[in-house]
Amino acid sequence: MTIIDRVVEANSIYATLGKPPQPKLAVVTCMDPRLSDLPGILGLPEADIDVIRTGGPAVTEDVLAELIVSNRVLGTTEILLLNHTGCGFTTFTDDELNARLSASTGDASPAPMRFFSYRDPEQNTLEQIEKVRSHPWIAKDVPVRGFVFDVETGLLHEVQSVPSHTAA
Ligand SMILES: [Zn+2]
């Protein structure tokens, strides 16, 4: 029995409440299982969070489109970009993985694939904030904040794009 077979079996006894959600916060985070308990990590009910998950996470054009729908259509009012330590996407580069897969499969036709590998979660977060903040369809009054989740401690560390205590 595959894992998906077990999922299908378990789902047959799963009953939902069917209450329509009214999400308040959009969260972009990694596909890493340690980021799955967002209600626990963020202390919010599941129904309050629109979750957009990608590897990394990477803020792609698709993610930007989803954030815009989350804000403009579904009603979220804030955006939280949630990176983490120990991410699998920091363990390779796109070039390396393209080369490795081309060699191991003997088929280089999909290359170069964009895997959105990165080196530093803080830097990744800064770039994401900039990317989201500068999009003309994300309203200027929507707070966009970025954090790194420490997988060792479970604590969030905010990444600031500008020094909060700039001397006047
Ligand atoms: Zn990750």
Side-chain angles (χ1 to χ4, degrees):
M1 205 183 207
T2 66
I3 296 167
I4 295 175
D5 288 336
R6 272 184 263 145
V7 166
V8 171
E9 188 174 283
N11 177 258
S12 66
I13 54 170
Y14 178 79
T16 68
L17 299 174
K19 217 171 78 182
Q22 293 182 303
K24 299 175 175 69
L25 176 70
V27 178
V28 180
T29 196
C30 186
M31 66 198 204
D32 189 299
R34 293 169 291 190
L35 278 310
S36 292
D37 181 22
L38 288 177
I41 293 169
L42 305 175
L44 290 172
E46 216 162 46
D48 286 0
I49 317 169
D50 264 355
V51 186
I52 301 166
R53 294 188 81 165
T54 62
V59 175
T60 61
E61 285 300 307
D62 288 349
V63 168
L64 285 167
E66 287 155 10
L67 283 174
I68 291 162
V69 171
S70 180
N71 282 182
R72 301 280 188 177
V73 180
L74 304 175
T76 57
T77 56
E78 300 186 31
I79 294 172
L80 193 157
L81 305 168
L82 187 52
N83 281 252
H84 69 108
T85 59
C87 185
F89 281 74
T90 61
T91 62
F92 60 88
T93 68
D94 281 23
D95 285 348
E96 283 163 16
L97 193 54
N98 273 289
R100 196 196 309 167
L101 293 172
S102 296
S104 67
T105 63
D107 186 347
S109 63
M113 279 192 78
R114 190 82 197 272
F115 296 107
F116 297 96
S117 63
Y118 66 98
R119 279 298 173 216
D120 175 46
E122 299 248 346
Q123 187 56 38
N124 202 39
T125 307
L126 284 175
E127 289 168 13
Q128 291 168 350
I129 294 170
E130 177 55 29
K131 212 172 198 177
V132 174
R133 187 68 291 165
S134 64
H135 198 289
W137 288 356
I138 300 282
K140 294 304 164 217
D141 60 350
V142 169
V144 178
R145 291 168 66 180
F147 294 81
V148 175
F149 175 80
D150 186 325
V151 297
E152 304 294 329
T153 64
L155 294 174
L156 297 179
H157 158 66
E158 182 156 18
V159 180
Q160 306 276 2
S161 52
V162 275
S164 51
H165 49 276
T166 335

